[in-house]
Amino acid sequence: MRSVEVFRRYRTLTRSNRTLISPTIIGFERGFCSYRNEDPKLKDFIDYLENLKNYEKSGVPKGAGTNSEDGFDLGRMNRLMKLLGNPHNKFKAVHIAGTKGKGSTAAFLSNILRKEGYSVGCYTSPHLWSIRERISLGRKGDPVSPEALSCLFHQVKNILDKAIEMENGSISHFEVLTALAYTIFAQENVDIAVIEAGLGGARDATNIISSSGLAASVITTIGEEHLDALGGSLESIAMAKSGIIKHGRPVVLGGPFKPHIERILRDKASSTSSPVVLASDPRNRSIIKGFMVNDGKRFQSCDILIQVEEDLRMFIDLTDVKLLMLGSHQLQNALTATCASLCLRDQGWRVSDESIRSGLEHTYLLGRSQYLTSEESAGVGLTGVQILVDGAHTKESAKSLADTTQLTHSDAALAFVVAMATDKDHIAFARQLLSGRQPKAVILTEVGIAGDRARMTPAPLLKDVWVQAALELGIDVTDIWMEPDEKFQVEQSECSPEKVKNTTVITISASVEESMKIANQIFRLGKVDQPRLIVVTGSLHIVSHALASCRV
């Protein structure tokens, strides 16, 4: 209660010194069309998808991911797959669920298997540039070609039409994409597919893989994202995600987990006679030994030791692994993927230590702890500034991001540029980032989500959250309000070298690009020779906007 009173008092005492802004912002950049980067060959397919229910745009309904009457209808997905000839029964798969780390773990594991020479299909979501990124194929891991995707769509369009009619129009955007991904994997005769669950696990559209087709399941982490959709508690989330565990098939648990959550997962594994490998077991050790730069690319040098003796027996000792994916959370994802690859080796798959090392070292994902090059920074007129883009959007991922910036740029002046969806825990996210080093500036902005504005959080509301979080943590702030069409000018604001030195400037901006420029203006009021780091975060959607702005 005291922090709320302080917040209100601050607003009252400083209101006369600020320019107020209407709660409705009309000057923010419009969201990129989610398909503006698509090849013209995909026009018919994209138009078709646009007419389907897209929960990435509208938000997921309450209870949708639970094993209840409110949950998504897996029967509908099974009926669609039957019409397509059940392609998901024609390849082996590793199924990955979890609150965070699914995409990175899938990328690590896919690259390990490719380095061994396997043809791998990988299905993930969401995408940054093109919907084709969600489906990668072959020994090189290239996105499915527009020609192949368009050809398949026209081959099965009549079947999709029939399914949609049978289901009274309830088949979703994600269900169609999942069905086509499985069909492509079957047509291309992949050796193995690595499948990332979309939401939860038990009722997710990807969860139609039978135990006979499952090589292993992986649960990376359990956190409080999508609480309403997954039952309202950490326990219900764990139950939903444990739904990908299948009878007699090994499950890799990433973690670390709270003891009672690990128990829920282990109980489900026990009920299905599934061997368990705990990647975060204290006997498995992984450390970051240092950060380095080579050919303009940052990497972290790591040691990975796995020695499992329960349920399954496996061992590997890798030293000086050079990970391009930065942060302790990415090392944990690498450890989890390594455990999954060892599970496959235990089943007779050929997976050498050398392929594991090479696969880990050659994995890189856009928008995950990604430092832009100096040329990319110059693309938005910023020189002498380091820009880090990261799709963090939970308090757990915010902590990982804060830890990474501390490890790589402990002496840099820091600024955050943030945009977020409405269904995220904004206050927990802000508290976590502000609990680290005090930033010089926080600039809140808005971007479209999946090409739509429905799930976008207005920047003024986000700014109020960040001011509240800062005051709760005892951080002095300079809270600058502007008109929607007003350009930020340091000399016309309340900023001064003294205020920048002793307070955190919090304001809003009409675009990601403008936000980064505002941060740089504020940096210039501080120490001239101090390194500068701008962190763009809050979702992969703001990352996509930042990368588009910096394209060279």
Side-chain angles (χ1 to χ4, degrees):
M1 185 65 182
R2 183 180 179 186
S3 61
V4 175
E5 291 174 348
V6 171
F7 175 56
R8 288 173 178 164
R9 189 178 302 124
Y10 172 84
R11 296 282 300 271
T12 302
L13 291 174
T14 60
R15 178 176 289 268
S16 61
N17 297 322
R18 294 183 294 172
T19 303
L20 300 184
I21 190 167
S22 165
T24 303
I25 301 301
I26 59 174
F28 286 91
E29 66 179 14
R30 306 316 298 169
F32 288 5
C33 170
S34 55
Y35 303 115
R36 67 178 291 174
N37 300 306
E38 299 298 352
D39 190 290
K41 298 183 187 71
L42 292 175
K43 183 180 185 307
D44 290 346
F45 176 51
I46 297 305
D47 288 346
Y48 194 89
L49 288 179
E50 284 286 81
N51 289 316
L52 301 176
K53 184 69 174 179
N54 186 348
Y55 294 109
E56 291 176 24
K57 286 185 179 181
S58 62
V60 184
K62 186 174 182 179
T66 60
N67 196 13
S68 68
E69 291 183 358
D70 297 323
F72 286 137
D73 182 7
L74 266 188
R76 181 173 65 225
M77 188 66 187
N78 279 304
R79 290 187 289 274
L80 170 59
M81 298 308 290
K82 184 176 181 180
L83 290 175
L84 290 168
N86 290 322
H88 58 295
N89 293 334
K90 298 176 182 177
F91 53 81
K92 292 290 186 179
V94 176
H95 199 188
I96 303 176
T99 301
K100 296 296 297 179
K102 299 187 299 292
S104 296
T105 302
F108 279 128
L109 180 58
S110 296
N111 281 331
I112 288 170
L113 295 171
R114 290 185 186 114
K115 290 298 180 181
E116 193 61 54
Y118 292 110
S119 174
V120 181
C122 186
Y123 179 58
T124 60
S125 59
H127 61 272
L128 284 177
W129 300 115
S130 166
I131 202 165
R132 297 187 296 113
E133 297 168 29
R134 300 185 183 216
I135 306 171
S136 61
L137 292 164
R139 290 176 173 82
K140 293 183 178 180
D142 294 328
V144 61
S145 70
E147 294 81 6
L149 188 53
S150 176
C151 181
L152 174 62
F153 166 67
H154 286 102
Q155 284 176 6
V156 303
K157 181 179 180 299
N158 288 340
I159 295 175
L160 296 177
D161 289 342
K162 180 179 178 181
I164 289 170
E165 183 179 357
M166 285 173 51
E167 306 294 345
N168 298 316
S170 59
I171 289 180
S172 71
H173 176 281
F174 186 74
E175 287 169 328
V176 167
L177 279 174
T178 303
L180 293 190
Y182 287 173
T183 303
I184 289 173
F185 294 159
Q187 288 183 350
E188 293 294 320
N189 197 28
V190 299
D191 295 313
I192 191 168
V194 179
I195 308 294
E196 176 190 352
L199 176 78
R203 290 295 186 99
D204 188 70
T206 60
N207 195 32
I208 54 172
I209 303 166
S210 65
S211 57
S212 61
L214 185 69
S217 54
V218 179
I219 300 175
T220 56
T221 59
I222 301 294
E224 294 182 348
E225 190 177 13
H226 299 302
L227 269 175
D228 287 345
L230 295 175
S233 70
L234 207 60
E235 293 77 12
S236 64
I237 291 173
M239 286 300 301
K241 294 184 187 301
S242 73
I244 69 167
I245 299 173
K246 299 294 194 303
H247 184 76
R249 309 314 301 151
V251 54
V252 176
L253 303 180
F257 304 97
K258 294 181 178 180
H260 72 292
I261 296 301
E262 183 179 328
R263 177 47 51 197
I264 289 172
L265 301 176
R266 285 187 176 276
D267 285 348
K268 177 60 185 287
S270 177
S271 71
T272 58
S273 302
S274 300
V276 175
V277 175
L278 180 63
S280 54
D281 188 298
R283 288 167 292 189
N284 298 334
R285 296 193 299 274
S286 58
I287 60 169
I288 299 172
K289 298 194 294 187
F291 290 85
M292 304 166 199
V293 180
N294 185 28
D295 292 332
K297 293 183 179 179
R298 293 179 179 270
F299 65 88
Q300 56 189 20
S301 178
C302 308
D303 289 347
I304 295 175
L305 171 65
I306 295 172
Q307 42 189 1
V308 174
E309 298 178 355
E310 297 176 4
D311 286 7
L312 300 176
R313 298 180 65 87
M314 54 185 64
F315 177 85
I316 192 169
D317 188 5
L318 301 174
T319 59
D320 297 321
V321 180
K322 298 175 177 60
L323 292 183
L324 294 170
M325 304 277 278
L326 303 179
S328 58
H329 61 302
Q330 292 296 0
L331 177 55
Q332 179 61 39
N333 293 334
L335 187 70
T336 302
T338 301
C339 285
S341 67
L342 294 177
C343 275
L344 295 178
R345 186 156 76 184
D346 182 74
Q347 297 174 46
W349 292 77
R350 184 185 68 255
V351 187
S352 68
D353 288 6
E354 293 75 17
S355 293
I356 292 174
R357 174 188 291 276
S358 183
L360 295 177
E361 292 187 336
H362 286 85
T363 298
Y364 180 73
L365 287 177
L366 292 174
R368 278 78 165 184
S369 299
Q370 178 186 353
Y371 285 90
L372 304 189
T373 65
S374 55
E375 291 80 10
E376 288 170 329
S377 297
V380 286
L382 298 178
T383 57
V385 180
Q386 184 76 68
I387 300 173
L388 168 63
V389 295
D390 188 271
H393 54 269
T394 67
K395 64 180 181 181
E396 294 84 5
S397 56
K399 183 181 187 307
S400 297
L401 176 58
D403 290 345
T404 300
T405 60
Q406 179 62 34
L407 287 169
T408 60
H409 284 80
S410 59
D411 59 342
L414 179 64
F416 294 115
V417 174
V418 181
M420 299 187 78
T422 55
D423 57 352
K424 307 306 175 187
D425 190 344
H426 304 134
I427 190 70
F429 186 82
R431 285 191 192 115
Q432 194 64 67
L433 285 181
L434 290 171
S435 293
R437 284 184 299 132
Q438 181 175 337
K440 297 294 184 186
V442 179
I443 299 96
L444 293 314
T445 189
E446 300 171 7
V447 298
I449 296 174
D452 196 87
R453 310 287 284 182
R455 291 177 58 218
M456 171 196 69
T457 304
L461 296 184
L462 270 184
K463 184 171 71 66
D464 282 352
V465 167
W466 279 77
V467 170
Q468 178 183 348
L471 292 173
E472 289 176 359
L473 293 169
I475 298 172
D476 291 330
V477 298
T478 300
D479 178 1
I480 300 175
W481 289 51
M482 300 185 298
E483 295 294 344
D485 57 354
E486 184 181 359
K487 276 220 166 187
F488 182 94
Q489 298 292 333
V490 167
E491 56 273 14
Q492 296 175 5
S493 73
E494 299 176 19
C495 289
S496 68
E498 192 62 27
K499 280 206 170 186
V500 169
K501 181 179 179 181
N502 297 307
T503 69
T504 293
V505 175
I506 301 183
T507 189
I508 61 175
S509 175
S511 72
V512 178
E513 184 174 349
E514 184 64 25
S515 297
M516 291 188 286
K517 291 178 178 177
I518 290 173
N520 198 36
Q521 286 185 56
I522 294 170
F523 281 153
R524 288 173 180 164
L525 296 175
K527 297 178 182 177
V528 176
D529 58 347
Q530 186 178 21
R532 307 166 185 173
L533 177 64
I534 298 173
V535 179
V536 181
T537 189
S539 76
L540 282 174
H541 303 285
I542 188 174
V543 165
S544 177
H545 282 252
L547 292 176
S549 299
C550 296
R551 267 184 160 175
V552 293

